[in-house]
Amino acid sequence: MATTIPDQKRVGMVSLGCPKALVDSERILTKLRADGYAMSPDYEGADVVLVNTCGFLDSAKEESLAAIGEAIAENGRVIVTGCMGNEAELIRAKFPQVLAVTGAHQYEAVVEAVHEAAPPSQGPYVDLVPQPDIKLTPRHYSYLKISEGCNHACSFCIIPSLRGKLASRRIDAVLREAEKLVAAGTRELLVISQDTSAYGVDVRHEERQWKDHPVRTHMTDLARELGQLRTPEGDTPWVRLHYVYPYPHVDAVIPLMAQGLLTPYLDIPFQHASPSVLKAMKRPANEAKVLERLKSWREVCPEIAVRSSFVVGFPGETEADFQYLLDWLDEAQLDRVGAFRFEPVAGASANDLPGAVPEEVKEERYARIMEKTEAISAAKLAAKVGQTIKVIIDEVGEPDEDGDRGATGRSQADAPEIDGAVYLRDVPETLQPGDFVEVKIEDADAHDLFGVIA
Ligand code: SF4
């Protein structure tokens, strides 16, 4: 039976930005709930509204400022946190009525600001009843954040100045969280950070005790231990590694993928292929012979899917550099590609580089890279027609007028929100989000697959 706490204070949350910011929002809400607050799904019912902002690109900042403006207009009692917290002056100048501004991952500061703005009601239930963690992602997948910050200095990026140097979480704490999530219904873990391959560098890969053996704070130990998790039904949950730079030790996780212990998927933000552009970008691990590595990974684990993102129109990018990138993509045959036109970020050193690329050239290159990567993706997906593959269900639809029910899922090659989908026809009523099913693929387009449960 639900217990109503008299005068329980309600907090609204607007969460913007990347999965890392979403994890911060989840942590803040979990802490607030433990302190006796309830969540409000709308502005009206909230005693205070938190806006978790993103300040990475100028367009994201504008979106954050618009969200703050909306929250003030709709509710009036607003606390700002997240990446734009570093620009408190700008926020206060524009919105003097904001109650407090705190920075990214300053959990205590933001929780304290909420306590001040709307003091929590105290009651026996609030203090005694343990509350489950709050999740903003669907129950069947969860982001697992392993570190904060970054030790690199990519010239287009201001994350190190926003979030500081690399700070890795304790590996035993990460594994405990993963175990808890899987026991509570998570079927897919998405490992995130700014630089997953660098996990533990800041603590010299210190050892911690996990169960009956020591584990190092290191990406390969983490991957191996996550591969040992089992769902209550005895399945191996999917574990996806994001933001992996191709350091040599990445080779060690590919056999785990071949053994089915780790999802055969790597998200490697290459950003470019031309050596001169990579140098100007100051990218980490760009000296690695990536094409050869891709080839050897595919030899060990033929089903591996590699996703990446690329920036076109970076200052100084010539037509020859861009053509180099297109030729490289022909060779690399990546499974999933996101492309972005270069956009200057206030405070990034790339803004001062010579050779700004005119907007119309950026547009034209963007269209060319999209055409190239869509053709590669379409051919790769077409090759899956006729195969039977494992799919995780994200959503089950309502039956149509003929009583047929559809569902949307993803293959191991598709991370939620950024990659493609698998659309299923004629699914049984009993199918649930989070279920794993074997699907016979019947059709494909440039991004998605279509099929039926085998
Ligand atoms: S690796 Fe580069 S792009 Fe990624 S967070 Fe660090 S500085 Fe930014």
Side-chain angles (χ1 to χ4, degrees):
M1 193 182 75
T3 306
T4 313
I5 296 161
D7 300 329
Q8 192 174 20
K9 295 288 172 14
R10 295 186 171 273
V11 180
M13 168 72 94
V14 181
S15 188
L16 303 164
C18 61
K20 286 161 280 231
L22 197 66
V23 172
D24 289 345
S25 295
E26 288 176 351
R27 288 222 181 124
I28 294 165
L29 292 182
T30 298
K31 173 75 179 94
L32 287 172
R33 194 151 85 172
D35 290 354
Y37 290 90
M39 299 307 122
S40 170
D42 48 35
Y43 289 121
E44 254 173 36
D47 292 290
V48 61
V49 176
L50 280 174
V51 182
N52 191 2
T53 56
C54 173
F56 187 51
L57 292 174
D58 287 351
S59 50
K61 276 188 198 167
E62 269 161 36
E63 196 192 341
S64 295
L65 290 172
I68 298 168
E70 185 183 301
I72 286 176
E74 296 287 331
N75 181 285
R77 297 179 58 74
V78 174
I79 293 171
V80 177
T81 185
C83 287
M84 269 200 88
N86 290 27
E87 300 189 53
E89 275 166 31
L90 187 148
I91 293 168
R92 289 196 182 284
K94 206 164 156 71
F95 304 109
Q97 57 280 65
V98 158
L99 299 174
V101 183
T102 67
H105 54 269
Q106 291 177 347
Y107 306 116
E108 273 110 53
V110 67
V111 167
E112 206 180 293
V114 173
H115 278 242
E116 253 173 52
S121 334
Q122 293 300 324
Y125 300 107
V126 177
D127 297 326
L128 296 178
V129 181
Q131 301 275 4
D133 289 355
I134 292 207
K135 285 181 80 268
L136 298 175
T137 42
R139 201 171 75 107
H140 64 282
Y141 66 83
S142 301
Y143 293 100
L144 185 65
K145 190 167 175 175
I146 59 169
S147 60
E148 267 299 348
C150 177
N151 285 348
H152 300 294
C154 300
S155 56
F156 55 81
C157 179
I158 52 164
I159 283 188
S161 61
L162 285 179
R163 301 209 153 206
K165 289 260 179 222
L166 177 74
S168 301
R169 291 181 61 203
R170 286 175 59 145
I171 187 160
D172 50 346
V174 173
L175 291 171
R176 203 166 300 117
E177 182 181 342
E179 199 175 56
K180 220 169 90 187
L181 286 167
V182 171
T186 289
R187 296 292 168 265
E188 180 174 3
L189 287 164
L190 305 137
V191 176
I192 55 165
S193 68
Q194 313 294 347
D195 178 359
T196 295
S197 318
Y199 177 54
V201 164
D202 53 317
V203 292
R204 301 207 180 129
H205 302 300
E206 72 184 345
E207 262 185 17
R208 297 273 175 188
Q209 194 66 18
W210 173 242
K211 312 258 157 131
D212 58 353
H213 56 281
V215 286
R216 289 173 313 150
T217 314
H218 192 289
M219 186 185 85
T220 52
D221 286 34
L222 177 72
R224 200 185 54 235
E225 295 298 333
L226 291 175
Q228 299 305 315
L229 295 173
R230 295 294 173 269
T231 68
E233 299 79 39
D235 289 319
T236 305
W238 287 3
V239 177
R240 244 177 241 290
L241 301 181
H242 289 276
Y243 312 105
V244 174
Y245 290 95
Y247 297 121
H249 63 261
V250 175
D251 296 357
V253 300
I254 313 297
L256 297 173
M257 296 179 181
Q259 290 162 33
L261 298 174
L262 202 59
T263 303
Y265 178 97
L266 276 181
D267 169 13
I268 309 180
F270 289 120
Q271 308 295 12
H272 214 283
S274 156
S276 56
V277 178
L278 287 170
K279 196 163 165 225
M281 287 178 163
K282 299 203 186 134
R283 293 296 289 165
N286 81 40
E287 73 290 347
K289 296 196 171 100
V290 172
L291 288 174
E292 281 170 32
R293 304 273 302 289
L294 282 171
K295 197 162 155 253
S296 69
W297 294 344
R298 287 180 175 135
E299 275 160 17
V300 177
C301 181
E303 62 274 29
I304 191 171
V306 180
R307 132 165 284 273
S308 191
S309 51
F310 294 89
V311 171
V312 298
F314 191 77
E317 182 193 63
T318 61
E319 175 57 28
D321 290 320
F322 181 68
Q323 190 56 50
Y324 186 102
L325 170 59
L326 292 185
D327 295 344
W328 186 93
L329 286 167
D330 263 334
E331 288 259 334
Q333 292 287 307
L334 302 181
D335 298 80
R336 301 287 183 190
V337 169
F340 303 89
R341 306 160 194 84
F342 173 74
E343 198 183 312
V345 177
S349 63
N351 306 350
D352 305 327
L353 290 173
V357 175
E359 287 307 316
E360 62 278 14
V361 178
K362 277 188 206 168
E363 284 304 325
E364 186 249 352
R365 289 181 185 166
Y366 176 76
R368 282 159 70 197
I369 193 170
M370 290 311 287
E371 194 186 338
K372 162 80 62 195
T373 56
E374 277 180 13
I376 293 172
S377 173
K380 290 206 151 215
L381 295 182
K384 296 196 179 178
V385 175
Q387 291 182 12
T388 298
I389 60 171
K390 195 167 186 182
V391 166
I392 190 167
I393 300 299
D394 281 332
E395 248 185 271
V396 181
E398 292 299 323
D400 62 16
E401 61 273 16
D402 300 327
D404 294 335
R405 194 184 293 271
T408 311
R410 285 172 293 106
S411 73
Q412 299 207 87
D414 305 306
E417 287 168 40
I418 51 175
D419 294 327
V422 182
Y423 294 101
L424 308 186
R425 63 176 176 88
D426 302 340
V427 301
E429 207 181 323
T430 48
L431 195 70
Q432 297 280 335
D435 284 353
F436 289 118
V437 284
E438 294 290 329
V439 173
K440 171 108 192 278
I441 300 302
E442 301 175 315
D443 201 0
D445 62 20
H447 303 286
D448 303 315
L449 295 168
F450 304 84
V452 67
I453 294 179

